[in-house]
Amino acid sequence: DWTMEKFLEQAIAQIRETVGEKGQVLAAVSGGVDSTVAAKLMKEAIGDRFWAVLVNNGVMRLNECEQVQKDLSEALGINLTVVDASKEFLEGLKGITDPEKKRKFIGGKFIDIFEAEAIKIEEAAAKDPTKGGGKIEFFMQGTLYPDVIESLSFKGPSATIKTHHNVGGLPERMMNGQGLKLIEPLRSLYKDEVRALGRALGIREELVMRHPFPGPGIAVRILGEVTPEKVEIARQADHIFISEIRKAGLYDQISQAYAAVDPSRAVGVMGDKRVYGYIVVLRAVTTTDFMTAEAFNFPWEFLQRVMNRIVNEVHGVCRVVYDITSKPPGTIELE
Ligand code: XMP
């Protein structure tokens, strides 16, 4: 019979057998549930011969990069390299308003930065005998069973609707361009099993229960052009919204929640002055498969509290709206 402890034992044995005594493994991590659990599993199996890379793309949430670094490197002991490319990303996003162009730019730039880092790691790994001294031969990805199924049945309109995938194109590039072999230790698991595995590996509960977050991050939560000012507003508003959701004990009842920025501005009064400020859009949904979703039914007092905090604490915002659209016809993200 199947238990998590047995699975863990077998998964570690299998990774060791695949990678061998000297093999090195590279991966991109985000701080999300799947990549974190997969990374910790690799760390347990092969120690520092597993190399995780976190790219700060400038559109992560408030303090997120620092928090992921703490969790993965300090708490879980994973061999992690953080690349801060936020300036490069924000510079490149200037003038781009089309959602798919944003995704394309962020995905492409991510691959370029990751590949450059991979070369540096390759050199470091070869020089450092404590880290095995071998060549990097594998690229690890936290693919789950539902992703495997989905890519097998990739026909019809959903293929074009879902151009998403956290690091679209990266595994192909690492396999074909760098000649690495793909290793996917979570391939047979469903999401709830990955969470259970995460707990068995000692990953803290808040991280194990994290909502998903899109690869292009806040960039698809700012309608139109992404500017540092709007990223900052989205970050502050999102932080308030998510903190209040946690405080109210609602986080685990919601599948995904965030604050977005509408760049068209509305008139308001603050103190005795007329102001002209951005509109913050709050979105929170429940869903089982992310293909259909319903807006979460918050108590009115909760929404009022969040609205009050955002207009008072986030500079440049004078309106807060709650998006009640279901999916379909709305999507979960605004772009
Ligand atoms: P939509 O907006 O299509 O989102 O209803 C469904 C799920 O996919 C996530 N999403 C993305 N994830 N890159 C990602 O890695 C993307 O470009 C992307 N767009 C949407 C979204 O957050 C939700 O969980």
Side-chain angles (χ1 to χ4, degrees):
D1 59 338
W2 196 91
T3 65
M4 193 46 72
E5 285 67 32
K6 251 190 217 161
F7 175 85
L8 185 55
E9 215 174 278
Q10 282 168 4
I12 288 175
Q14 200 167 45
I15 292 166
R16 286 183 181 150
E17 193 188 311
T18 308
V19 174
E21 293 283 308
K22 286 201 174 282
Q24 310 259 353
V25 183
L26 183 70
V29 293
S30 63
V33 180
D34 307 344
S35 70
T36 304
V37 173
K40 180 60 176 167
L41 185 58
M42 295 304 299
K43 154 84 192 172
E44 292 301 302
I46 61 167
D48 283 353
R49 287 186 289 131
F50 171 67
W51 301 76
V53 177
L54 172 68
V55 176
N56 183 351
N57 61 8
V59 282
M60 294 171 76
R61 287 163 291 188
L62 193 69
N63 302 328
E64 187 171 19
C65 190
E66 296 79 359
Q67 187 58 53
V68 175
Q69 185 158 16
K70 265 190 201 151
D71 278 318
L72 270 65
S73 178
E74 289 171 31
L76 300 174
I78 292 161
N79 174 15
L80 174 74
T81 308
V82 179
V83 186
D84 182 5
S86 49
K87 286 218 178 70
E88 244 180 287
F89 276 92
L90 290 173
E91 194 58 39
L93 279 166
K94 270 187 193 159
I96 305 181
T97 53
D98 179 77
E100 288 308 306
K101 285 192 181 132
K102 286 184 192 174
R103 285 191 169 84
K104 238 181 138 177
F105 167 75
I106 292 173
K109 168 78 48 201
F110 183 94
I111 292 179
D112 291 346
I113 287 172
F114 186 84
E115 271 190 325
E117 197 56 36
I119 291 166
K120 287 189 205 162
I121 286 179
E122 183 98 68
E123 290 167 3
K127 273 190 215 131
D128 188 346
T130 65
K131 296 201 167 139
K135 206 179 130 33
I136 291 179
E137 289 173 59
F138 298 91
F139 178 74
M140 189 281 282
Q141 227 195 358
T143 317
L144 307 194
Y145 188 65
D147 308 329
V148 176
I149 295 301
E150 188 183 287
S151 62
L152 292 178
S153 59
F154 231 51
K155 284 188 214 104
S158 69
T160 45
I161 292 171
K162 275 204 127 192
T163 55
H164 333 320
H165 255 284
N166 272 313
V167 283
L170 184 60
E172 289 76 17
R173 279 282 281 275
M174 298 319 287
M175 291 191 306
N176 303 331
Q178 308 286 328
L180 302 185
K181 285 171 260 175
L182 192 61
I183 173 167
E184 297 177 310
L186 308 181
R187 246 187 106 80
S188 65
L189 303 182
Y190 284 100
K191 194 84 180 187
D192 54 335
E193 295 169 328
V194 173
R195 294 202 160 106
L197 179 61
R199 289 185 190 103
L201 284 163
I203 299 172
R204 69 188 174 96
E205 187 62 19
E206 194 179 301
L207 215 165
V208 157
M209 288 306 291
R210 258 183 124 187
H211 294 164
F213 183 65
I218 287 179
V220 291
R221 295 172 176 180
I222 291 169
L223 294 171
E225 189 184 9
V226 177
T227 64
E229 183 202 18
K230 288 176 207 157
V231 170
E232 200 46 40
I233 289 173
R235 271 192 186 138
Q236 301 286 343
D238 188 78
H239 182 71
I240 291 170
F241 187 35
I242 300 298
S243 310
E244 289 294 338
I245 285 175
R246 284 197 189 284
K247 233 189 278 173
L250 299 172
Y251 190 88
D252 293 347
Q253 294 174 44
I254 295 168
S255 307
Q256 206 169 349
Y258 63 87
V261 175
D262 182 338
S264 44
R265 288 188 287 171
V267 173
V269 279
M270 281 177 133
D272 52 5
K273 278 205 206 84
R274 272 171 76 86
V275 293
Y276 194 50
Y278 293 116
I279 303 166
V280 160
V281 178
L282 305 177
R283 183 126 172 92
V285 298
T286 56
T287 174
T288 48
D289 59 2
F290 294 87
M291 302 300 285
T292 63
E294 293 294 331
F296 187 74
N297 188 7
F298 285 110
W300 187 248
E301 296 69 30
F302 174 88
L303 290 172
Q304 281 180 315
R305 185 159 65 242
V306 173
M307 173 277 291
N308 266 312
R309 282 199 57 192
I310 291 174
V311 293
N312 284 313
E313 296 173 36
V314 186
H315 186 76
V317 177
C318 75
R319 300 278 171 122
V320 177
V321 302
Y322 182 49
D323 182 352
I324 62 165
T325 318
S326 57
K327 174 183 180 175
T331 51
I332 293 172
E333 300 298 339
L334 275 200
E335 283 198 337

